[in-house]
Amino acid sequence: MSASAIFVLDLKGKVLICRNYKGDVDMAEIDHFMPLLMQHEEEGLLSPVLSHGNVHFMWIKHSNLYLVATTNKNSNASLVYSFLYKIVEVFTEYFKELEEESIQDNFVVVYELLDELMDFGFPQTTESKILQEYITQEGAKLEVAKSKVPTTVTNAVSWRSEGIKYKKNEVFIDVIESINVLVNANGSVMSSDIVGSIKLKTMLSGMPELRLGLNDRVLFALTGRDKGKTVVMEDVKFHQCVRLSRFESDRTISFIPPDGESELMSYRINTHVKPLIWIESVIEKFSHSRVEIMVKAKGQFKKQSVANNVEVRVPVPSDADSPKFKTSTGSAKYVPEKNMVVWTIKSFPGGKEFLMRAHFGLPSVENDEAEGKPPITVKFEIPYFTVSGIQVRYMKIIEKSGYQALPWVRYITQSGGRVATPLINK
């Protein structure tokens, strides 16, 4: 089962717009949501599901809005949350920014979208490109468009329209990997993993069938080939266009792609990863006068690669002032509202080592409050490089007209949500 009703609320809990899909939950139940939320927040027990009697509220917050789904059944929570995030994605593609003002300015379109996105509590047409064919943001066109619903909506291939034509047929494949690494004070890696996604930009005519081949270890084992570097992918999640039964039987990634940009799949690789940018740091405090911080950054990736837009974020005491910096490359900037120094290096070649020194004054009165010790975090992006060694072995494009199409592949490695190392007190 899925949702009974969907509500969009402002930060005070006022209902901006709602849609009742099943009628089995009293619409007035939403009045209990905000008091419940505030109560749980005060108690430090906030959770993504709140309950009042036998009614459950599943909610997300986006910008200055709450999106809430109600149900009185044992619903599939994963499906409901996926749908709520899909609403955010569709509304954002329609209105550029999803916030209270964009809902108030587009009531008619929002109602139309809520009608098409879900039917009797179950998700229906959720591809914004398809919705945009018959739900437009111009009132005059809306009436005309209503009379002719695209066949795509009732097709088996609901994510792609028929009759698409391009002069030049191409498909661009981006393999993007984010690295999460946590290092302790001794320099040992506490945890590490790689989260990857394969994104497509397809500019192909007609209704092409695509087959993507990766150096997947399970596939190589099934086919008796175990040569070269392979990867073991976990938590694999596909776009709805991928034929899951085919993948489960012989690991073939076969699909009719959406037109334009889309995320084909995401995966996780649980492996030991060394930090690509190694950080060494020392903080020296001189009582009642100053604090000095030295940070050394070293690129631990191959010399022919370059990390772009590197940011080393170094926490500093909340009562520090009068910053002075010295860097061997790049520039350092004090961000007082976040109690940190941001050291920016536009281009960081592999194998190179750089140094940053920071000097701060401290107030003469000792700060007795115990401060936490947040770690140094590193942000970066390395093009044409993957840590896991994942490779696109082939991309076959089959279309009944027999046209030739060009596939292009690009690899990118970037820092994930956790690339952190602690400051060492001297």
Side-chain angles (χ1 to χ4, degrees):
M1 300 296 289
S2 190
S4 174
I6 299 289
F7 297 83
V8 181
L9 315 179
D10 66 13
L11 292 178
K12 293 178 180 176
K14 178 188 170 188
V15 177
L16 299 175
I17 201 163
C18 60
R19 179 71 171 84
N20 189 356
Y21 293 104
K22 297 177 73 176
D24 59 349
V25 173
D26 187 347
M27 295 295 277
E29 284 287 339
I30 195 65
D31 296 339
H32 300 290
F33 170 73
M34 192 54 72
L36 272 172
L37 186 76
M38 293 172 74
Q39 180 192 331
H40 281 68
E41 204 164 19
E42 283 170 15
E43 295 170 356
L45 300 170
L46 200 56
S47 73
V49 180
L50 302 173
S51 299
H52 177 258
N54 67 339
V55 176
H56 310 291
F57 304 100
M58 286 173 272
W59 63 278
I60 63 171
K61 186 181 179 185
H62 179 85
S63 185
N64 56 357
L65 299 172
Y66 288 104
L67 282 82
V68 186
T70 58
T71 181
N72 60 2
K73 302 287 194 303
N74 184 15
S75 296
N76 182 336
S78 297
L79 176 64
V80 175
Y81 282 110
S82 294
F83 180 73
L84 290 176
Y85 282 110
K86 195 69 186 179
I87 289 177
V88 171
E89 184 185 313
V90 170
F91 285 5
T92 303
E93 288 190 23
Y94 261 83
F95 314 130
K96 305 302 178 201
E97 293 289 335
L98 176 55
E99 52 191 24
E100 187 178 338
E101 192 178 341
S102 55
I103 295 290
Q104 290 170 338
D105 291 347
N106 296 280
F107 269 129
V108 175
V109 178
V110 171
Y111 271 121
E112 291 276 343
L113 288 171
L114 289 174
D115 270 346
E116 294 298 331
L117 285 162
M118 183 171 268
D119 185 28
F120 198 65
F122 293 93
Q124 296 297 307
T125 307
T126 57
E127 288 292 323
S128 62
K129 282 190 175 67
I130 303 303
L131 290 163
Q132 283 167 9
E133 289 186 24
Y134 63 106
I135 296 178
T136 71
Q137 285 168 274
E138 295 174 42
K141 287 185 180 176
L142 199 62
E143 297 305 315
V144 179
K146 269 189 191 173
S147 61
K148 189 184 177 184
V149 175
T151 53
T152 319
V153 176
T154 53
N155 272 357
V157 185
S158 61
W159 54 87
R160 186 180 178 89
S161 303
E162 292 181 0
I164 296 170
K165 288 183 181 176
Y166 286 99
K167 284 185 179 178
K168 188 177 183 182
N169 291 288
E170 295 177 301
V171 56
F172 296 87
I173 308 160
D174 278 351
V175 181
I176 302 168
E177 290 192 337
S178 298
I179 302 177
N180 297 306
V181 183
L182 190 62
V183 180
N184 68 11
N186 302 322
S188 303
V189 175
M190 302 285 288
S191 68
S192 66
D193 66 4
I194 299 166
V195 178
S197 66
I198 296 180
K199 297 187 177 182
L200 300 180
K201 184 179 181 182
T202 53
M203 295 187 287
L204 299 171
S205 306
M207 200 66 78
E209 168 92 22
L210 273 60
R211 284 180 202 155
L212 177 70
L214 304 172
N215 56 335
D216 175 9
R217 188 171 300 172
V218 179
L219 171 64
F220 278 37
L222 280 171
T223 54
R225 291 177 298 170
D226 205 7
K227 295 174 183 176
K229 185 168 176 59
T230 56
V231 295
V232 178
M233 296 183 292
E234 299 177 31
D235 301 337
V236 179
K237 188 174 80 174
F238 289 111
H239 186 279
Q240 62 174 320
C241 66
V242 176
R243 295 183 178 88
L244 292 180
S245 56
R246 183 82 188 271
F247 179 76
E248 285 164 5
S249 64
D250 61 11
R251 302 291 282 193
T252 299
I253 302 171
S254 170
F255 57 99
I256 295 170
D259 187 43
E261 295 180 6
S262 61
E263 181 174 289
L264 179 69
M265 63 181 285
S266 62
Y267 59 88
R268 185 175 62 83
I269 295 175
N270 195 4
T271 183
H272 180 81
V273 182
K274 67 176 183 180
L276 293 178
I277 296 179
W278 181 260
I279 299 292
E280 289 179 17
S281 64
V282 176
I283 178 168
E284 196 170 359
K285 277 189 178 181
F286 299 86
S287 185
H288 306 302
S289 60
R290 68 186 194 278
V291 60
E292 291 182 0
I293 300 169
M294 187 277 292
V295 178
K296 185 164 68 175
K298 184 178 180 181
Q300 295 196 128
F301 47 94
K302 54 189 181 183
K303 291 182 179 179
Q304 58 265 46
S305 293
V306 176
N308 296 327
N309 304 317
V310 177
E311 281 187 9
V312 182
R313 299 173 181 182
V314 185
V316 299
S318 58
D319 52 354
D321 57 24
S322 312
K324 293 176 186 172
F325 305 110
K326 190 176 180 182
T327 61
S328 59
T329 190
S331 62
K333 180 186 175 186
Y334 178 43
V335 186
E337 63 271 19
K338 294 184 178 176
N339 298 324
M340 68 165 64
V341 172
V342 179
W343 178 19
T344 305
I345 303 168
K346 284 248 164 93
S347 181
F348 196 133
K352 292 287 184 181
E353 192 173 291
F354 300 115
L355 200 67
M356 186 271 288
R357 290 182 186 277
H359 177 286
F360 287 89
L362 288 175
S364 56
V365 179
E366 189 75 41
N367 185 358
D368 291 330
E369 288 182 26
E371 286 194 13
K373 292 183 180 177
I376 295 175
T377 56
V378 187
K379 188 181 168 203
F380 60 85
E381 185 175 281
I382 307 174
Y384 318 114
F385 177 80
T386 60
V387 178
S388 69
I390 194 169
Q391 291 176 344
V392 175
R393 291 171 47 244
Y394 63 81
M395 170 67 90
K396 291 180 181 173
I397 302 164
I398 305 151
E399 214 279 330
K400 60 185 179 184
S401 64
Y403 61 68
Q404 293 296 308
L406 293 170
W408 305 88
V409 184
R410 179 173 64 168
Y411 299 94
I412 299 169
T413 293
Q414 59 192 21
S415 53
R418 308 187 315 275
V419 181
T421 184
L423 267 169
I424 311 297
N425 284 311
K426 191 171 176 181

